[in-house]
Amino acid sequence: MLKPYAIGIDVGGTTTKFGIVNRHGEIIEQDRISSIAHEVVEDFIDDLCEKLLPMVERAGGIDQFVGIGMGAPNGNLYTGTIEYAPNLRWKGIIPIADLMNKKFGLKTILTNDANAAAVGEMMYGVTKNIKHFITITLGTGVGSGIVIDGKIVVGWDGFAGELGHTIIRPGGRMHKSTGAHGSLEAYASATGVRETAIEMLTEHPEVASLLRNYTINELTSETVYDCAMQGDAIANRIFEFTGQILGESLANFIMFSSPEAIVLFGGLTKAGPLLINPTRKHMEANLLPIFQNKVKLLFSELKEADAAILGASALVWDTTRNEQGAF
């Protein structure tokens, strides 16, 4: 008999979300704890266990669970370790999957958060029947998951697929966390939109803009969107520029893996046509003819609030694939 439930855990930079998920992608119950309140990872796992075990009991006990899926920054699918994650408190190499397995007695599968999102999309989202696609998460940063032949691409060491850190403008804007110049994440993230707004307002002091009603600290991708919807010229130019950068990048990714679809997800996608129209235009303009007008550009249908837990839980459903160490 197939076990009906999985545990999905998303370890974020400040908050860890977790929940009980059934095979239909329904979250039965969920909760969260702090990711930064515990100096050592063992205390974090103890706190997680304290919250999770009552949820497991309400679902019928541990025997009803196929396993635990975890998404985390710098999570390695092969080793089950979080390795040198810059935005987590625990430093070095953390054998978190092994620690979770010992604590709960359940097989634990770990990968990075963006790969988990792609697996969730494949199991529950718009790519259920698609075996070649790329997910791009446009949030505070730019995450990505590459799926070829129905399997997540993780490379020989478990860390392939960092498309957000590819250089799209050599010598361009510095990424404050990595020190790299001109990466996609420096432009096409919510943080990047804010930086573009500051640059354009500074470079064009003669142009009136609703954005000038905000202090630098008040400028966000949301305020840029609000002003763009009111017809503000600079705000609209910001989204045109962001879409250009993103579209050029997607063209490169398409010519690398020839996906059937690219799925955009995350807070920045709420800009809708303001972002998607220039993205599509510049994507198609930079493709070789054999790739043009073939790739679907889709928005994720997963609820943003639930996607991280769903993606993590999806890691454990296919036992055979998990045991082979790949998706």
Side-chain angles (χ1 to χ4, degrees):
M1 179 179 174
L2 295 174
K3 296 183 178 182
Y5 301 116
I7 294 171
I9 302 172
D10 175 66
V11 182
T14 57
T15 302
T16 293
K17 302 175 184 178
F18 51 91
I20 309 299
V21 184
N22 66 22
R23 287 181 175 270
H24 304 294
E26 298 165 336
I27 299 177
I28 307 305
E29 189 174 357
Q30 63 178 296
D31 204 345
R32 60 181 63 197
I33 62 171
S34 171
S35 302
I36 58 176
H38 313 86
E39 189 171 344
V40 296
V41 71
E42 288 82 2
D43 291 342
F44 166 79
I45 291 173
D46 286 344
D47 194 4
L48 191 58
C49 184
E50 185 178 335
K51 292 286 185 71
L52 256 176
L53 281 183
M55 295 165 62
V56 168
E57 290 304 313
R58 287 191 289 271
I62 206 76
D63 291 339
Q64 300 298 305
F65 287 80
V66 66
I68 298 171
M70 297 186 75
N74 290 24
N76 191 323
L77 178 66
Y78 293 137
T79 62
T81 54
I82 296 174
E83 302 185 19
Y84 306 103
N87 56 342
L88 293 179
R89 190 171 182 184
W90 325 302
K91 303 306 177 185
I93 298 175
I94 308 297
I96 196 163
D98 184 55
L99 293 171
M100 290 291 293
N101 190 313
K102 290 176 180 176
K103 188 72 174 181
F104 288 88
L106 285 172
K107 172 183 62 183
T108 301
I109 307 295
L110 171 79
T111 190
N112 74 46
D113 38 5
N115 283 344
V119 176
E121 203 66 57
M122 187 163 47
M123 177 159 282
Y124 306 123
V126 294
T127 59
K128 276 184 180 179
N129 300 311
I130 297 177
K131 294 192 177 296
H132 298 265
F133 68 94
I134 298 172
T135 59
I136 303 289
T137 302
L138 304 171
T140 305
V142 175
S144 58
I146 304 166
V147 175
I148 296 176
D149 289 328
K151 297 179 181 180
I152 284 285
V153 174
V154 294
W156 75 272
D157 63 349
F159 292 112
E162 290 288 353
L163 298 180
H165 294 294
T166 56
I167 303 303
I168 192 64
R169 285 290 186 274
R173 182 184 296 166
M174 189 182 80
H175 187 286
K176 292 178 181 177
S177 295
T178 66
H181 288 265
S183 67
L184 175 60
E185 184 168 287
Y187 294 96
S189 61
T191 307
V193 168
R194 179 181 182 274
E195 291 297 316
T196 299
I198 293 170
E199 287 177 5
M200 288 191 177
L201 289 169
T202 303
E203 291 168 3
H204 302 282
E206 76 287 356
V207 179
S209 173
L210 295 171
L211 292 168
R212 299 191 190 280
N213 296 328
Y214 299 91
T215 66
I216 286 182
N217 290 334
E218 291 171 337
L219 279 176
T220 64
S221 60
E222 289 87 354
T223 55
V224 175
Y225 170 75
D226 290 340
C227 292
M229 292 301 292
Q230 296 177 63
D232 186 85
I234 287 185
N236 276 277
R237 175 62 188 134
I238 290 166
F239 278 110
E240 173 67 34
F241 176 72
T242 304
Q244 177 183 349
I245 296 278
L246 181 57
E248 291 171 1
S249 301
L250 296 186
N252 286 336
F253 305 158
I254 288 167
M255 290 186 286
F256 151 69
S257 67
S258 191
E260 181 179 345
I262 292 176
V263 183
L264 302 180
F265 178 80
L268 206 56
T269 63
K270 293 174 184 176
L274 287 173
L275 180 67
I276 201 76
N277 289 345
T279 297
R280 183 180 285 109
K281 178 179 76 173
H282 289 281
M283 181 184 83
E284 295 292 348
N286 286 278
L287 287 171
L288 292 173
I290 57 170
F291 294 106
Q292 287 177 345
N293 303 309
K294 285 184 177 179
V295 181
K296 303 169 188 171
L297 201 52
L298 307 172
F299 285 130
S300 173
E301 293 179 355
L302 298 179
K303 286 178 59 178
E304 188 171 354
D306 297 340
I309 293 173
L310 290 175
S313 73
L315 291 168
V316 294
W317 288 120
D318 191 327
T319 303
T320 302
R321 287 183 181 178
N322 287 340
E323 289 175 351
Q324 292 174 346
F327 272 81

